[in-house]
Each structure stands twice: as C-alpha cells, then as structure tokens.
C-alpha cells in the first residue's frame, strides 16, 4: 500500500459544479485541518448555491476564475500544495454543438493548471477524468487502466487530451500527478441537463422524458459520494503517474432507469418519448475497478436506494432546479431536443 500523503491547502477547480461541490464538502469533513481554495468560472453549470453552507468557514475561499486564464490561476494557486481539477465542460450533447469550447477548457485549461502547478512546486495534481476516454465497450468485458484510449465524441476526446497533457508533465517535468476515471455519476446538485436529473425533473413537471434511440444503451452508475471517496483516496494514496478507474459496478439500461424514476414518482410510462439518437452514441461503458480497490476503495452505496433518495432530493428541492430550468437551460433544451424531433412541451 502506498504511503498516505497529507496537504495543507488544496485548490479544487470546478468546485461549484456537481461532483466538485460534493467533493469540497467531503474534503473538509474528512480533513478538518485542510484549507480549500475553490476556483470556478461559474459557467451555466457552476452554482454557488451548492457551496452556500460554507460561507464564513475560515477554511474555505472562493475565487471566480477561468482555468484557461494563466494569470488568475497563478495568483489563486499561491500557497496550495495540491490541485484537484474537476473544472470541465462536461456534457456530451453540448460538445456536439460546440467542440471548440471543450478543447479550450478540457485541454488548454488543464495545460494552464499544470504549468502553474509546476511553477508553484505543487506536491500533487489530480486530474478528474472519465470512463468515456476508453470509448464504448459494446458487449461483455470491462475497461482497464492500461487499455488504449479510443474516445468517440468531442467531450471524451478533449478529456483524453487533458490526460495526455498530464502524462507529459509527469514524464517531462517530474510533476507528481494522478488521474481518476469515474463512471456516470448521479446524486444531489447535478445540473438537470444530465440523464438522471433530467428524467426526474421532467417527470415532476409532467413533461415527456426524451429517450435517445432505442434506450438500450448501458451506463455504470456511481453515487456521487462514492465517486468523491475514490477521488480522495487517489489524492492521498495514488501512485504518481497512475490512472485509477472509479466505477459503481452497477450497469443499468437507460430505459430501465427512466422507468424506475416514473414508478417512484407515480407517473405514467406514457411520458417516455423515444427521440432521435445522439450521433456517435456510446453504447455501453464498464470499468474494472480492481486497481482502486487494491488501494482501499469500494463503492458503498446501493443504486436503487440512492436513486430513490436522489429522486426525493429533487422533489424536495424544486427551487434549486426550477431556477436553473427557467434560465439558460430553456434555450439549450429547445436547441438540443427540437433537432431530435422531441415534443418539448
Ligand atoms: P459540472 O458541469 O456539473 O461542473 C463543472 C464545473 O466546472 C462548473 O462549476 C463550471 O462552472 C466549472 N467550469 C467549467 N469550465 C470552467 C473553466 N474554464 N474554468 C473554471 N471553471 C470551469 O460537471 P460535473 O458533472 O461535476 O463533472 C466534474 C468533472 O468530473 C469533470 O471534469 C467531468 O469530466 C468529470 N466526470 C463527470 C462525470 C459525471 O457523470 N458527471 C463522470 C466522470 C467524470
Ligand atoms: P448523460 O447523462 O448525458 O451522460 P453520458 O452521455 O456522459 O453517458 O447520458 C447518459 C445516457 O442517457 C446516455 O446513454 C445518453 C442518454 N440520454 C438520453 O437518452 N436522453 C437524454 O435526454 C439525455 C441527456 C441522455
């Protein structure tokens, strides 16, 4: 087992987003003597409401900045001995409409962070990546960390590019970096463009649930807390230069997940609406997680229990997502779903 590291001030980029904000809470809970500097551009997906309970906590500081802005990043990184980079453009469908923006944040932004980390002598850099860098694994079998990366859409290609830059900094400059490749994550505070919160909130609103293609695609769902414990373990115990798969070991067919959501909310299956498929839609992802398990990690949350809790959270926090859905989201929804022939109600 690798030695346990400790840090004093951790920069968490993208910390106002879904997984990042959950991680900031876990970090301060598990390491009460740490300080955290959250850096976030507050794009449509960044939401300070996710961190509102930390206002006034002397261990927490927020900096509004773009990870691609070298000057701002160098200033914010002063005194940090670790960086955990969650900041990314993160939605596959949006990457089909605007691939360039994804390259700017998910590749160039990673380079800017690495360069600043090198200049500041940061002790550890953790890049949050995704199972999507492997491309899909249509039948049987699971992706392992040594497999070739075969990304198939602009989002996953940009995330793979970010990983390549991280590897370059390990080999060229001896920067101490590790990578996590998480699977599809769900839980509270997830922006409702993603599958599970979109299905939940549309069902509550009585709107159609848009199912791409035949709905038989499969994803390995991971509860956000389990994703965050995996990240925290790799930050503290991961071996320099290594990547670790963090997956839920819980493969589900999209249509089945949508049906479970309708059942729990007491809504009719008539709300399911098959719409035009996503171009280049990855059919299935599956991860071998034995490497992270050997480090001491395991997912502890049951999918059906946590899905039910997540549905209840969205039902109890309508203000949080209704504010989002009435803003920029409405324009995105028209743009994405009208072209798929969806009745968007
Ligand atoms: P999210 O879209 O909810 O949050 C992204 C955050 O990054 C937002 O707060 C946004 O404001 C910020 N951001 C975006 N561009 C920025 C920039 N240029 N500079 C500074 N901040 C910027 O995303 P998420 O679902 O929480 O994903 C977080 C990370 O985890 C991403 O790197 C993503 O690739 C990875 N990941 C996500 C999943 C998933 O299922 N959601 C699975 C595996 C890996
Ligand atoms: P998503 O949450 O976008 O994650 P990813 O594409 O990164 O896996 O989508 C999860 C699955 O749900 C994916 O197979 C696409 C599908 N999907 C739909 O069928 N309808 C939708 O409206 C969305 C957003 C996704």
């Amino acid at each position: 087992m690798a030695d346990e590291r400790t840090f004093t001030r951790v920069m968490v980029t993208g910390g106002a987003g879904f997984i990042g904000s959950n991680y900031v809470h876990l970090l301060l809970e598990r390491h009460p003597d740490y300080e955290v500097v959250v850096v976030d551009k507050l794009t449509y997906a960044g939401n300070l409401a996710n961190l509102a309970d930390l206002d006034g906590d002397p261990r927490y500081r927020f900096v509004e900045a773009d990870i691609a802005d070298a000057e701002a990043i160098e200033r914010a990184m002063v005194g940090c001995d670790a960086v955990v980079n969650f900041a990314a453009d993160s939605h596959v469908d949006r990457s089909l409409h605007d691939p360039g923006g994804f390259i700017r944040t998910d590749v160039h932004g990673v380079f800017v962070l690495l360069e600043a980390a090198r200049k500041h002598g940061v002790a550890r850099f953790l890049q949050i990546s995704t199972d999507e860098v492997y491309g899909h694994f249509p039948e049987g079998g699971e992706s392992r960390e040594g497999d070739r990366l075969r990304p198939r859409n602009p989002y996953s290609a940009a995330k793979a590019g970010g990983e390549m830059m991280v590897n370059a900094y390990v080999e060229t400059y001896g920067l101490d970096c590790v990578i996590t490749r998480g699977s599809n994550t769900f839980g509270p505070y997830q922006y409702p463009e993603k599958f599970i919160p979109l299905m939940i909130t549309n069902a509550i609103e009585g709107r159609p649930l848009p199912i791409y293609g035949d709905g038989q695609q499969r994803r390995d769902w991971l509860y956000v807390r389990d994703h965050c414990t995996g990240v925290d373990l790799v930050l503290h115990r991961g071996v320099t230069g290594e990547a670790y798969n963090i997956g839920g070991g819980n493969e589900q067919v999209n249509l089945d997940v949508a049906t479970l959501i309708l059942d729990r909310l007491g809504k009719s299956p008539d709300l399911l609406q098959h719409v035009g498929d996503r171009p280049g839609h990855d059919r299935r992802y599956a991860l071998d997680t034995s490497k992270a398990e050997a480090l001491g990690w395991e997912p502890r949350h049951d999918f059906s229990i946590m899905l039910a809790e997540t549905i209840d959270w969205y039902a109890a926090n309508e203000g949080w997502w209704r504010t989002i859905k009435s803003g920029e989201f409405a324009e995105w929804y028209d743009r994405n779903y009208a072209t798929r022939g969806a009745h968007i109600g």
Side-chain angles (χ1 to χ4, degrees):
M1 173 103 28
D3 291 343
E4 175 97 19
R5 314 281 192 93
T6 56
F7 306 101
T8 55
R9 186 182 294 168
V10 182
M11 174 184 279
V12 180
T13 57
F18 164 49
I19 310 174
S21 61
N22 276 281
Y23 181 65
V24 168
H25 287 101
L26 178 129
L27 186 71
L28 289 174
E29 188 186 306
R30 285 200 161 177
H31 312 279
D33 51 333
Y34 283 17
E35 290 175 20
V36 60
V37 179
V38 171
V39 173
D40 200 296
K41 187 181 171 184
L42 298 181
T43 67
Y44 74 91
N47 190 346
L48 279 179
N50 303 357
L51 298 166
D53 58 315
L54 294 175
D55 284 343
D57 188 324
R59 301 171 301 167
Y60 159 73
R61 187 160 70 90
F62 179 77
V63 178
E64 185 173 340
D66 185 336
I67 60 164
D69 177 346
E71 275 181 31
I73 292 302
E74 281 192 29
R75 269 197 308 275
M77 211 179 275
V78 171
C80 294
D81 50 4
V83 175
V84 183
N85 178 33
F86 288 93
D89 272 328
S90 68
H91 190 35
V92 173
D93 290 316
R94 289 194 194 240
S95 82
L96 308 181
H97 291 259
D98 174 28
F102 279 66
I103 290 163
R104 186 173 176 279
T105 292
D106 300 5
V107 184
H108 186 74
V110 176
F111 152 71
V112 169
L113 288 172
L114 288 163
E115 190 57 14
R118 181 172 79 87
K119 287 187 187 157
H120 283 289
V122 162
R124 171 140 279 194
F125 186 102
L126 194 164
Q127 169 66 7
I128 305 295
S129 191
T130 164
D131 59 358
E132 304 195 22
V133 295
Y134 294 114
H136 64 175
F137 210 130
E139 290 306 327
E142 295 170 332
S143 299
R144 297 178 64 108
E145 288 83 350
D147 289 355
R148 198 174 136 195
L149 305 190
R150 299 171 194 265
R152 301 174 70 244
N153 59 59
Y155 163 67
S156 52
K159 292 296 290 185
E163 285 202 24
M164 296 302 106
M165 199 55 73
V166 169
N167 291 343
Y169 271 70
V170 173
E171 300 298 336
T172 312
Y173 302 112
L175 190 67
D176 184 319
C177 303
V178 280
I179 293 170
T180 54
R181 295 185 184 138
S183 66
N184 281 72
T185 304
F186 72 103
Y189 298 107
Q190 185 167 29
Y191 194 85
E193 68 190 352
K194 303 283 172 32
F195 183 68
I196 285 184
L198 182 68
M199 299 297 126
I200 297 171
T201 57
N202 276 19
I204 293 173
E205 293 177 298
R207 301 176 87 179
L209 275 54
I211 304 294
Y212 293 165
D214 63 6
Q216 293 303 309
Q217 306 84 2
R218 279 172 287 168
R219 295 292 184 265
D220 171 11
W221 289 103
L222 174 67
Y223 187 60
V224 64
R225 177 93 187 170
D226 286 327
H227 193 154
C228 291
T229 59
V231 167
D232 200 51
L233 192 76
V234 171
L235 176 68
H236 289 90
R237 290 207 204 140
V239 175
T240 306
E242 295 291 317
Y244 295 87
N245 289 343
I246 309 288
N250 169 56
E251 220 175 301
Q252 300 281 340
V253 171
N254 288 346
L255 203 50
D256 294 346
V257 175
T259 304
L260 284 171
I261 290 168
L262 289 172
D263 283 353
R264 173 128 189 126
L265 289 167
K267 300 284 182 170
S268 164
D270 293 345
L271 284 178
L272 296 170
Q273 184 188 23
H274 287 270
V275 301
D277 206 352
R278 174 189 280 172
H281 196 166
D282 286 343
R283 201 73 190 157
R284 170 180 179 262
Y285 302 127
L287 291 177
D288 178 318
T289 54
S290 49
K291 192 168 163 187
E293 282 160 27
L295 218 53
W297 176 80
E298 61 174 353
R300 291 181 183 275
H301 292 87
D302 175 79
F303 175 71
S304 48
I305 295 173
M306 297 327 292
L307 181 65
E309 282 196 14
T310 300
I311 294 167
D312 295 350
W313 186 88
Y314 280 89
N317 290 278
E318 289 203 13
W320 183 86
W321 56 265
R322 282 192 189 277
T323 307
I324 291 172
K325 276 192 142 179
S326 62
E328 178 273 353
F329 181 87
E331 187 270 323
W332 158 250
Y333 202 76
D334 289 349
R335 194 147 59 100
N336 189 47
Y337 292 93
T339 55
R340 294 183 196 283
H343 165 69
I344 50 181

